[in-house]
């Protein structure tokens, strides 16, 4: 067992109820067992948002010509998932097990608490900058599909609200939404 930390550095604990889906991959995945050749860290300098942030791109699954247009998973509060959780190794394990298709995962840093509080709760400017600046930048590094049926936006709390907002207002781009404890 290894403890996980929240974005604020607080310890998180896990409770497993008898009928719950197994959370086993979170506890057996080794965060150090990630192929660095499939992970890219970039800086996104946004003109309309007037800020700069890190983004991480991660590619799961084996390489093949058929994977050129992989599904895209966008994960908000990316720094929490990439730096504090073993998400990359979990995604690898779930892809190998056939529970997830080979994908490109885009993790977006929220910069800081103030920026997060401005950009994630239903901010049209943020999502337009994601579409006009960030997605072309990311796609130039790791090709992925533009098909909304194969584009997921995921987040929790403000990120969950932001994910739903993106899906509601731009369904032609963001067709799948995962909101965890959305701040509705």
């Amino acid at each position: 067992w290894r403890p996980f930390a929240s974005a604020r550095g607080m310890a998180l604990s896990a409770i497993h109820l008898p009928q719950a889906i197994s959370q086993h991959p979170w506890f057996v995945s080794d965060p150090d067992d990630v192929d660095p050749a499939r992970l890219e860290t970039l800086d996104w300098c946004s003109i309309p948002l007037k800020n700069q942030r890190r983004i991480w791109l991660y590619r799961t699954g084996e390489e093949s010509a058929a994977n050129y247009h992989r599904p895209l998973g966008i994960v908000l509060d990316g720094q929490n998932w990439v730096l504090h959780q073993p998400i990359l190794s979990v995604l690898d394990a779930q892809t190998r097990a056939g529970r997830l298709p080979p994908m490109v995962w885009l993790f977006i840093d929220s910069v800081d608490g103030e920026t997060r509080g401005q950009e994630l709760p239903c901010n049209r400017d943020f999502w337009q900058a994601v579409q006009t600046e960030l997605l072309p930048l990311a796609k130039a590094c790791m090709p992925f599909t533009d098909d909304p049926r194969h584009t997921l936006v995921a987040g929790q709390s403000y990120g969950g609200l932001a994910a739903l907002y993106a899906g509601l207002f731009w369904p032609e781009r963001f067709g799948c939404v995962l909101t965890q404890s959305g701040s509705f």
Side-chain angles (χ1 to χ4, degrees), residues 34-44 53-60 63 70-75 78-79 81-83 87-88 91-92 103-109 130 133-145 152 173:
V34 172
D35 180 0
R38 294 184 291 126
L39 176 65
E40 291 193 40
T41 304
L42 304 170
D43 286 323
W44 172 30
R53 73 188 76 219
R54 289 173 299 178
I55 64 157
W56 296 266
L57 287 164
Y58 190 66
R59 186 177 56 248
T60 59
E63 287 303 307
R70 292 171 186 249
L72 173 65
I74 300 169
V75 182
Q79 75 287 351
W81 296 101
V82 173
L83 302 176
I87 188 91
L88 303 180
L91 294 173
D92 281 337
M103 292 179 68
V104 169
W105 293 91
L106 169 59
F107 298 90
I108 304 173
D109 192 320
V130 165
E133 292 181 331
L134 180 56
L135 293 182
L137 172 68
K139 193 172 199 171
C141 295
M142 281 187 197
F144 50 79
T145 185
L152 165 72
R173 184 63 191 99

Side-chain angles (χ1 to χ4, degrees), residues 46-119:
S46 176
I47 294 169
L49 298 176
K50 298 178 178 74
N51 61 29
Q52 178 178 333
R53 73 188 76 219
R54 289 173 299 178
I55 64 157
W56 296 266
L57 287 164
Y58 190 66
R59 186 177 56 248
T60 59
E62 298 299 319
E63 287 303 307
S64 76
N67 289 334
Y68 187 76
H69 294 290
R70 292 171 186 249
L72 173 65
I74 300 169
V75 182
L76 301 168
D77 292 315
Q79 75 287 351
N80 182 45
W81 296 101
V82 173
L83 302 176
H84 303 294
Q85 309 286 342
I87 188 91
L88 303 180
S89 54
V90 171
L91 294 173
D92 281 337
Q94 296 301 298
T95 302
R96 279 191 304 272
R99 292 184 189 99
L100 289 173
M103 292 179 68
V104 169
W105 293 91
L106 169 59
F107 298 90
I108 304 173
D109 192 320
S110 58
V111 182
D112 57 37
E114 183 179 344
T115 304
R116 182 179 191 268
Q118 292 170 354
E119 291 181 349

